[in-house]
Amino acid sequence: MLLDGEAWRGFFDAFESEAWRFEAQPTYSMPREQQNVARFLRGEGKPDNHNARWHERVRGYIASGKCVGRVRVVRQPLTEYQRYQFAWGIPGNVAAGEDIRVLDVTQDDYGLPLSGRDWWMFDEARIAHLNFRPDGTQINREAYDGDLAPYREWKRVALEHAVSFKEYVKGLDV
């Protein structure tokens, strides 16, 4: 089942305790972000309300006792988009209460049994695949109704090998 618009919002917001994302794309080409990515790359200042809607949602989830987190997979050197994310996006998400961790696979992927695609897991009971073109443009989102065991294992492994965003960026020039 494809998840667009209100169907996606309803699917997402139905979680009871945890929303968790595995974020694997090196670049995302999201139309609503393009202007801000360009501003970042030109060295301009970050808008005061950058990502404010997501921050408000995260704060609401956290206030209601829910958890939101993700593991961001990276390889050095960071892509321009990842540099934008690390400088403008993730710090605000973390400040809003999202638990963001980084899994750097530059040296080796450690032979980790991980999914190569992006997905959200809700309450360890529901999965939404995020499908992208090679350039990072999102094609669609779809509910997954297959075996959840591999996703639970991928999450466990990713969390075991990732470090907190704050720890990862210490001394990193982004």
Side-chain angles (χ1 to χ4, degrees):
M1 171 177 78
L2 291 180
L3 300 167
D4 292 317
E6 288 304 312
W8 169 239
R9 183 70 185 251
F11 189 88
F12 193 106
D13 286 342
F15 78 95
E16 295 179 11
S17 61
E18 182 188 44
W20 189 85
R21 181 170 176 181
F22 185 78
E23 197 170 43
Q25 301 298 310
T27 298
Y28 296 94
S29 297
M30 306 300 285
R32 69 179 183 274
E33 289 184 324
Q34 293 311 301
Q35 184 178 10
N36 281 329
V37 172
R39 290 181 68 173
F40 168 77
L41 294 174
R42 289 191 301 265
E44 297 176 15
K46 179 173 75 171
D48 290 336
N49 65 346
H50 184 266
N51 219 9
R53 287 177 51 204
W54 175 247
H55 299 159
E56 182 179 318
R57 286 180 69 191
V58 169
R59 283 190 293 274
Y61 297 138
I62 301 303
S64 68
K66 299 177 180 182
C67 300
V68 180
R70 71 181 76 201
V71 165
R72 178 69 172 104
V73 177
V74 299
R75 226 180 254 289
Q76 293 289 338
L78 297 177
T79 65
E80 289 180 337
Y81 183 85
Q82 288 168 337
R83 289 185 18 253
Y84 156 75
Q85 235 186 0
F86 278 39
W88 282 23
I90 294 175
N93 295 1
V94 170
E98 189 174 352
D99 177 21
I100 300 181
R101 299 175 181 275
V102 178
L103 177 58
D104 190 323
V105 296
T106 302
Q107 299 303 318
D108 184 6
D109 64 6
Y110 312 107
L112 298 179
L114 295 172
S115 166
R117 70 180 320 150
D118 282 41
W119 44 275
W120 278 97
M121 177 185 285
F122 302 96
D123 302 322
E124 299 220 1
R126 295 179 301 120
I127 301 289
H129 286 167
L130 308 177
N131 300 311
F132 295 89
R133 292 188 180 99
D135 71 353
T137 302
Q138 189 172 49
I139 299 167
N140 59 32
R141 300 176 202 96
E142 60 183 330
Y144 172 76
D145 62 0
D147 184 8
L148 298 179
Y151 293 86
R152 291 179 186 127
E153 178 63 8
W154 292 330
K155 177 184 174 190
R156 184 194 68 72
V157 170
L159 286 169
E160 180 180 315
H161 292 277
V163 298
S164 74
F165 173 73
K166 288 181 180 182
E167 181 180 335
Y168 185 78
V169 296
K170 285 181 185 172
L172 188 65
D173 183 27
V174 288

